[in-house]
Amino acid sequence: MPTKKKPQVTPSPERRRELLDTAAEVFAAQGYNATTVRRIADEAGMLAGSLYYHFDSKESMIDEILSTFLTELWEGYDAVLAADLGPRETIEALVTESFREIDRHRAAVAIYQKESKHLATQPRFAYLVDSQQKFEKAWLGTLERGVAAAVFRADLDVRLTYRFVRDTVWVAASWYRPGGQHSPEEIARQYLSMVLDGIALDT
């Protein structure tokens, strides 16, 4: 009589997400190259061999972390860009959506900032280059539209402004902690006030 095979148990999506969250925190703190599968397993409270039951490599883990973050980011950005808002309102909505993503994926944002340039040289991570080009086009296009519509100053250097706003927003991942004193929407409002209206009183 043939021996019955034991049914394979599929890891739950919740457990997979927990492990990716743990891996993201370790990658963000230690850097991708310095992080070992054993270190991630230790942080997750499991043996390194058990982690391979869920993921075939640390490359697969960081790939899923970054692709998940970018997919969600572009769902939000695409909705903003399709809403037919004015240039200022588009900038406001993009900044707000950015802070919401930092709230949801703080560690992934930190990883993206530290590792994307290096990872993007590998064919598996070509989507990082595509996303960066799309990101730049969205922001520059909105700023140029604002200058053309006389919503933003005529002498505005749109590329310099883009870099300033981009870096000012995304560096927040280095200090932001979910559940803090201010919501992502409130932080976005304060940032936008400073960027769009300045910090000095009119005299």
Side-chain angles (χ1 to χ4, degrees), residues 6 9 14 16 27 49 54 88 104 125 133 137-138 144-145 167 176 200:
K6 292 182 179 179
V9 179
E14 293 78 14
R16 187 181 183 85
F27 286 137
H54 300 269
R88 179 176 176 129
R104 296 183 193 113
F125 296 94
Q133 292 173 345
K137 182 179 178 181
E144 288 167 353
R145 186 160 57 94
D167 294 348
Y176 179 81

Side-chain angles (χ1 to χ4, degrees), residues 9-191:
V9 179
T10 303
S12 72
E14 293 78 14
R15 180 54 174 159
R16 187 181 183 85
R17 172 50 50 197
E18 288 173 3
L19 293 174
L20 284 173
D21 287 345
T22 298
E25 292 294 339
V26 178
F27 286 137
Q30 295 201 335
Y32 176 68
N33 287 333
T35 297
T36 62
V37 170
R38 180 181 294 277
R39 177 57 189 272
I40 296 170
D42 287 345
E43 290 295 320
M46 64 196 305
L47 298 174
S50 299
L51 191 59
Y52 283 114
Y53 178 62
H54 300 269
F55 305 97
D56 61 12
S57 65
K58 71 173 187 176
E59 184 181 65
S60 292
M61 283 184 270
I62 201 167
D63 185 5
E64 190 164 338
I65 289 164
L66 291 174
S67 62
T68 298
F69 155 60
L70 288 173
T71 296
E72 288 193 18
L73 175 71
W74 280 107
E75 285 174 356
Y77 269 26
D78 285 341
V80 169
L81 296 170
D84 198 26
L85 301 171
R88 179 176 176 129
E89 291 75 20
T90 300
I91 292 293
E92 291 172 341
L94 289 175
V95 168
T96 301
E97 190 59 39
S98 298
F99 277 106
R100 287 174 179 154
E101 286 305 312
I102 292 171
D103 183 62
R104 296 183 193 113
H105 297 288
R106 184 200 58 79
V109 173
I111 294 167
Y112 181 85
Q113 290 179 310
K114 293 178 185 176
E115 310 289 352
S116 61
K117 187 173 182 180
H118 166 68
L119 291 172
T121 62
Q122 304 175 37
R124 179 172 188 165
F125 296 94
Y127 63 86
L128 295 175
V129 177
D130 295 338
S131 181
Q132 176 58 38
Q133 292 173 345
K134 186 179 176 184
F135 187 91
E136 183 172 310
K137 182 179 178 181
W139 283 86
L140 287 176
T142 302
L143 290 167
E144 288 167 353
R145 186 160 57 94
V147 171
V151 174
F152 303 140
R153 295 198 328 253
D155 65 341
L156 193 70
D157 184 322
V158 293
R159 186 163 292 276
L160 183 60
T161 303
Y162 155 68
R163 289 172 175 165
F164 171 75
V165 175
R166 177 197 64 191
D167 294 348
T168 302
V169 169
W170 292 106
V171 76
S174 66
W175 56 260
Y176 179 81
R177 293 296 178 271
Q181 182 179 357
H182 300 294
S183 69
E185 290 79 11
E186 172 59 19
I187 295 174
R189 189 187 69 78
Q190 291 280 355
Y191 266 59

